[in-house]
């Protein structure tokens, strides 16, 4: 791998910025000062330091996005802005893609990665990763809907597995849903089968990883390896605020 690519991948700066940094003599490879940004390095074996600080090599990147409405969950589209378009230049990697899908009008937690195995594991039905959503409905949600969700719902050709539904005690037009699958328009179709239309949908968590309130809509940040691991852990009971 080229030295400047490695440094940019590890968020030291843009390709251009790290080039300047290397030429300034701030970067060493195995203790030797280097001046060539296109130097070939082996990130698994070589020790790269910037101003004396060793840079850890992360083979894959895991990004957390607070997806805004109006953006497609796709890598590229000729007409509409995609979630990839929202990723800042410094965080982009060649094979980055969204792990799972949110509808264009759905907001909230979305993970982007270049780790295909991670995404596959997260999305595989046998992994049983729980996704929690907050839904706003056109009509009040009723106790009968909780029972229908708990039993599983047939919608056309699809059978949706049993899901948890909680009604907001202060506003029955608002509810929380937990599903393990990720079928096309699943939450909307489950409510539709109960005669209700979802007017707003937001994903709050995946596994034990909860989207923080402080990440603004459209913002993206790097997840720590520990956070990536939380996706496969069981969520603690949630506080419905
Ligand atoms: N269920 C839906 O209906 N839409 C989403 O975007 C996610 C889950």
């Amino acid at each position: 791998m080229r030295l400047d690519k490695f440094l940019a991948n590890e968020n030291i700066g843009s390709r251009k910025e790290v080039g300047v940094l290397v030429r300034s003599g701030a970067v060493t490879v195995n203790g030797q000062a280097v001046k060539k940004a296109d130097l070939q390095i082996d990130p698994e074996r070589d020790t790269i330091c910037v101003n004396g600080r060793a840079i850890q090599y992360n083979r894959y990147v895991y990004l957390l996005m607070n997806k805004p409405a109006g953006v497609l969950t796709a890598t590229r589209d000729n007409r509409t802005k995609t979630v990839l378009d929202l990723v800042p230049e410094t965080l982009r990697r060649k094979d980055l893609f969204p792990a799972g899908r949110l509808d264009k009008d759905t907001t909230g937690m979305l993970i982007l990665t270049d780790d295909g195995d991670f995404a596959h594991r997260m999305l595989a039905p046998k992994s049983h990763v729980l996704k929690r959503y907050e839904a706003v409905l056109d009509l009040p949600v009723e106790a009968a809907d909780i029972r229908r969700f708990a039993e599983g719902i047939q919608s056309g050709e699809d059978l949706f597995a049993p899901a948890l539904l909680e009604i907001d005690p202060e506003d029955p037009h608002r509810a929380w849903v937990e599903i393990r699958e990720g079928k096309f328009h699943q939450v909307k179709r489950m409510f539709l089968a109960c005669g209700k239309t979802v007017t707003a949908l937001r994903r709050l968590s995946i596994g034990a990883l909860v989207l923080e309130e402080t990440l603004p809509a459209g913002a993206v940040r790097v997840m720590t390896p520990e956070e990536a691991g939380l996706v496969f852990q069981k969520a603690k009971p949630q506080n419905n605020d």
Side-chain angles (χ1 to χ4, degrees):
M1 185 190 287
R2 281 173 59 130
L3 178 60
D4 54 358
K5 182 170 193 291
F6 167 81
L7 293 170
N9 277 356
E10 301 308 331
N11 290 316
I12 303 304
S14 66
R15 257 321 233 276
K16 210 166 143 195
E17 286 163 350
V18 301
V20 173
L21 201 64
V22 174
R23 283 188 293 280
S24 78
V27 179
T28 58
V29 176
N30 301 327
Q32 299 286 314
V34 292
K35 289 280 176 94
K36 291 179 81 168
D38 64 353
L39 184 78
Q40 284 295 325
I41 57 143
D42 179 346
E44 310 249 11
R45 288 157 184 251
D46 295 329
T47 303
I48 319 297
C49 294
V50 175
N51 293 320
R53 180 174 68 91
I55 308 301
Q56 202 206 314
Y57 172 54
N58 295 302
R59 182 146 180 228
Y60 297 114
V61 70
Y62 306 92
L63 303 179
L64 183 65
M65 174 182 288
N66 183 1
K67 180 191 172 294
V71 176
L72 280 187
T73 308
T75 47
R76 201 178 300 166
D77 189 85
N78 288 338
R79 276 171 296 175
T80 312
K81 199 183 242 192
T82 71
V83 290
L84 254 287
D85 294 328
L86 296 179
V87 177
E89 188 74 27
T90 50
L91 298 182
R92 288 198 190 163
R93 285 204 183 185
K94 189 164 73 58
D95 298 320
L96 200 61
F97 66 95
R101 238 184 133 266
L102 290 178
D103 297 336
K104 190 174 170 190
D105 58 354
T106 301
T107 60
M109 181 188 274
L110 186 71
I111 295 174
L112 297 106
T113 184
D114 53 356
D115 183 348
D117 287 343
F118 172 91
H120 184 74
R121 218 177 120 213
M122 185 183 118
L123 300 171
K126 70 172 190 302
S127 297
H128 298 296
V129 172
L130 264 187
K131 274 87 57 180
R132 186 176 174 87
Y133 293 86
E134 180 190 75
V136 179
L137 290 304
D138 63 337
L139 296 171
V141 185
E142 300 151 303
D145 302 328
I146 298 181
R147 286 195 291 277
R148 285 204 66 190
F149 271 60
E151 284 162 6
I153 290 178
Q154 183 81 43
S155 164
E157 302 269 285
D158 275 316
L159 176 64
F160 298 128
L164 179 81
L165 173 61
E166 296 170 327
I167 309 173
D168 184 346
E170 286 166 18
D171 176 7
H173 286 83
R174 195 162 82 125
W176 294 277
V177 180
E178 286 183 4
I179 55 172
R180 295 184 189 277
E181 305 158 297
K183 291 183 176 147
F184 186 61
H185 294 332
Q186 180 159 347
V187 174
K188 292 174 185 167
R189 286 166 65 208
M190 289 179 88
F191 276 114
L192 217 48
C194 301
K196 282 141 194 116
T197 300
V198 172
T199 57
L201 188 62
R202 184 159 69 106
R203 183 153 65 190
L204 305 174
S205 59
I206 302 177
L209 182 68
V210 180
L211 180 66
E212 67 266 27
E213 296 279 332
T214 47
L215 192 68
V220 185
R221 69 166 178 85
V222 176
M223 284 163 57
T224 63
E226 291 73 31
E227 286 178 315
L230 283 179
V231 162
F232 301 103
Q233 287 180 27
K234 212 163 161 271
K236 294 198 185 77
Q238 307 252 319
N239 195 1
N240 293 327
D241 291 328

